[in-house]
Amino acid sequence: MTGPKHSCGVVGIKADFDIASAMHTALMIIQHRGQESAGITAYNDGSMETVKGNGLVETAIPKEDLVKLRGKVGVGHVRYSAAGQKDVVNTQPLVATSSFGSVAVAHNGDITNSEQLKQKYMKEDGWTFHTKSDSELINKILSKHLSSVGDPVKAIRATMSELDGAYALTILINDRLFGVRDPYAFRPLCIGKIDGGIIVVSESAAIDALRGEFVRDLEPGEICEITKDTYKSDIVKPEHPRAMCMFEWVYFARPDSVIDDRGVYEVRKRIGEVLARECPADADLVMPIPDSGRAHAIGYAIQMGLPYEEGFMKNRFAGRTFILPEQSQREFAVSTKMIPIGRTVKDKRIVIVDDSIVRGTTLKKLVAMLRKAGAKEVHVRVGSPPIIAPCYYGVDMTTRDQFIANHYSVEEIREILGADSIGYISLDGMVEAFGFKKEDLCLACTNAIYPTRIEGEECRRD
Ligand code: SF4
């Protein structure tokens, strides 16, 4: 992947032990979902305490603060911030106090009607907002409903009825922990049992890391209360299909996670197989753009009957280029991040497989590096259709302008990249690899048809 960034990852744990260390481990495992800030809020002895800051989990939550954090229930968050939201005040979890007590919210996704809701509440109730984060809005609306209806599940349900868009939430209401998934199930959220407690988290890999047992994904529209031994669900079945973000499987999620019953690694491998069927290449070897194109490349190589090679050595101490906020930062990072293995690529006809192309700047550099290292031919294969439309659901692809596919034809993109050939998987081919019904996926960034109503965009429900 050579373009935008994800929004966030969330976690909540309730256990019969102090959860700080387990929360920290879970956040480290979902670190790829956001590398700019992290935080944990724990409830202990009648009050909430939060440790959070900018940077990777290890920096944002220093060990000396972690060991002092007490509490057997808590929520946590890792975050990528869009432009203008980098202040520590926007980091999560966000805590509010109301007549009902304390409420902490950690959010993954984007609320598409947040501006309208903010305007409404500022005008009607005189609310003020201190952050640019949707979590503050969610927290305020939830606190309002808690004060009026009292019951947390009813208050969360009332809050959901006001929100449009994507949200996977972990919520702490005093000592009660909830996991919430929006009615379209845009973002992943699952439950697992760990020794002495229960976890709700963005990706199942965190459950594995805590040597726990995966239980299940949350259903669309589900509110799940987590206790230390079990969980209790409130599900209002939506009247529309799901809209699970296809990018979770294509790029964002860890390959060792399982989302909505589909292993991320397996889906990526199947994408590679379909891609090979649709866009074969006459070549000597197949190699990935590490790391996110790896499983796609394995599938491609197997289907083609070609050797799979690691042709780039990656500097593991560099961050994901997609997640770095500025283009200049991304460009500099690429040249120090990946070095071709000269003896593997020299005089070879190479297929390089990437998961997607957003801007194409990184890929162009990598193709040039392969040529410089002596590759005879470079054939680019891509595991998602051209990205052409913005995302309103929590991925930082906000303008049509940034997509190379909106400016150039496929043949022109090949030329710009300096490749001998280029092939994208088809939309139907990608959907086949997922094994879901097409209408249960959000594919909007590839077909500009949105699952929910967005002003100025085509909605598939119209
Ligand atoms: S528009 Fe694209 S990135 Fe955004 S939720 Fe839909 S599939 Fe995912």
Side-chain angles (χ1 to χ4, degrees):
M1 157 65 81
T2 53
K5 340 47 180 150
H6 205 291
S7 43
C8 306
V10 297
V11 59
I13 298 177
K14 188 152 191 173
D16 57 15
F17 54 84
D18 279 325
I19 46 87
S21 168
M23 292 286 278
H24 190 265
T25 301
L27 290 177
M28 297 277 280
I29 295 297
I30 59 169
Q31 178 80 85
H32 59 286
R33 300 182 70 85
Q35 301 179 346
E36 288 183 10
S37 72
I40 300 172
T41 297
Y43 180 88
N44 187 41
D45 217 10
S47 66
M48 286 186 190
E49 192 180 336
T50 301
V51 179
K52 63 181 180 181
N54 284 332
L56 298 174
V57 174
E58 276 194 317
T59 314
I61 308 169
K63 207 171 165 192
E64 55 275 21
D65 292 340
L66 189 71
V67 292
K68 283 189 248 159
L69 192 62
R70 292 273 167 271
K72 295 181 168 54
V73 60
V75 292
H77 193 261
V78 286
R79 170 172 172 271
Y80 162 76
S81 54
Q85 298 182 12
K86 295 179 180 63
D87 299 344
V88 79
V89 72
N90 289 307
T91 59
Q92 298 185 40
L94 285 176
V95 181
T97 312
S98 70
S99 56
F100 197 84
S102 298
V103 178
V105 173
H107 171 215
N108 175 202
D110 261 353
I111 303 303
T112 51
N113 62 339
S114 63
E115 270 318 304
Q116 293 93 310
L117 287 168
K118 280 182 185 174
Q119 292 302 327
K120 177 186 137 176
Y121 281 115
M122 283 196 286
K123 206 166 142 201
E124 291 175 9
D125 296 316
W127 289 6
T128 50
F129 292 90
H130 305 289
T131 74
K132 295 198 166 104
S133 163
D134 285 348
S135 301
E136 185 185 11
L137 174 70
I138 296 170
N139 203 330
K140 276 188 149 71
I141 298 176
L142 177 57
S143 297
K144 178 192 79 146
H145 288 303
L146 276 168
S147 299
S148 60
V149 298
D151 175 62
V153 173
K154 283 189 185 146
I156 295 171
R157 190 60 70 196
T159 304
M160 292 168 78
S161 72
E162 296 191 46
L163 303 176
D164 291 337
Y167 51 93
L169 305 168
T170 51
I171 301 174
L172 197 55
I173 301 175
N174 297 322
D175 63 344
R176 293 175 69 177
L177 173 64
F178 299 86
V180 177
R181 202 171 180 199
D182 71 66
Y184 288 88
F186 280 102
R187 302 278 153 236
L189 196 63
C190 61
I191 312 166
K193 281 189 180 152
I194 55 173
D195 197 13
I198 305 237
I199 179 172
V200 57
V201 63
S202 295
E203 290 192 33
S204 65
I207 302 169
D208 298 335
L210 292 168
R211 297 193 173 80
E213 189 190 325
F214 174 82
V215 176
R216 66 170 175 83
D217 297 281
L218 264 73
E219 294 292 319
E222 178 172 356
I223 301 168
C224 187
E225 177 163 11
I226 313 293
T227 68
K228 67 182 170 49
D229 315 303
T230 185
Y231 55 89
K232 199 168 66 188
S233 282
D234 181 274
I235 304 175
V236 175
K237 205 172 168 351
E239 284 164 7
H240 48 71
R242 297 167 177 235
M244 300 173 290
C245 170
M246 66 87 181
F247 246 130
E248 291 286 349
W249 288 275
V250 167
Y251 168 70
F252 290 130
R254 288 173 59 111
D256 51 345
S257 285
V258 177
I259 302 174
D260 291 307
D261 223 18
R262 302 289 188 281
V264 173
Y265 178 80
E266 282 124 328
V267 169
R268 288 182 189 168
K269 223 169 113 188
R270 272 203 302 276
I271 286 174
E273 288 164 9
V274 176
L275 182 59
R277 278 200 333 255
E278 292 185 343
C279 311
D282 203 5
D284 301 314
L285 62 91
V286 178
M287 54 178 272
I289 302 294
D291 293 308
S292 51
R294 191 166 275 133
H296 306 76
I298 291 171
Y300 191 96
I302 291 171
Q303 181 68 29
M304 289 294 299
L306 287 170
Y308 169 90
E309 299 280 3
E310 292 283 345
F312 278 113
M313 195 36 126
K314 192 174 171 193
N315 175 6
R316 301 207 174 280
F317 302 100
R320 276 184 160 193
T321 53
F322 183 71
I323 284 181
L324 292 173
E326 308 299 338
Q327 178 69 15
S328 56
Q329 285 175 280
R330 280 194 292 272
E331 283 180 13
F332 177 73
V334 175
S335 57
T336 56
K337 191 174 168 183
M338 273 194 272
I339 317 275
I341 301 176
R343 289 177 178 224
T344 303
V345 304
K346 192 167 173 3
D347 296 329
K348 297 289 193 320
R349 296 171 305 158
I350 294 166
V351 179
I352 52 170
V353 184
D354 204 356
D355 51 86
S356 56
I357 302 178
V358 177
R359 299 177 184 86
T361 42
T362 308
L363 193 52
K364 182 180 171 185
K365 285 191 169 61
L366 295 177
V367 172
M369 284 160 96
L370 286 176
R371 293 224 185 266
K372 204 168 165 209
K376 203 154 61 175
E377 291 174 17
V378 182
H379 302 271
V380 170
R381 294 295 179 268
V382 192
S384 66
I387 307 297
I388 55 162
C391 176
Y392 299 93
Y393 308 117
V395 176
D396 189 28
M397 303 192 293
T398 51
T399 60
R400 282 179 158 76
D401 220 35
Q402 73 193 101
F403 306 122
I404 190 170
N406 280 340
H407 300 282
Y408 302 101
S409 67
V410 171
E411 174 53 22
E412 286 167 336
I413 293 172
R414 179 200 67 72
E415 232 180 282
I416 290 166
L417 296 178
D420 292 279
S421 74
I422 186 167
Y424 289 88
I425 195 169
S426 67
L427 190 61
D428 287 343
M430 185 179 71
V431 171
E432 177 198 326
F434 284 120
F436 291 119
K437 285 190 270 175
K438 195 172 183 175
E439 59 267 31
D440 278 332
L441 288 163
C442 179
L443 303 161
C445 49
T446 61
N447 64 7
I449 302 171
Y450 290 83
T452 66
R453 290 200 175 88
I454 306 279
E455 204 187 321
E457 302 285 6
E458 185 181 342
C459 175
R460 70 186 185 196
R461 293 160 70 191
D462 293 335

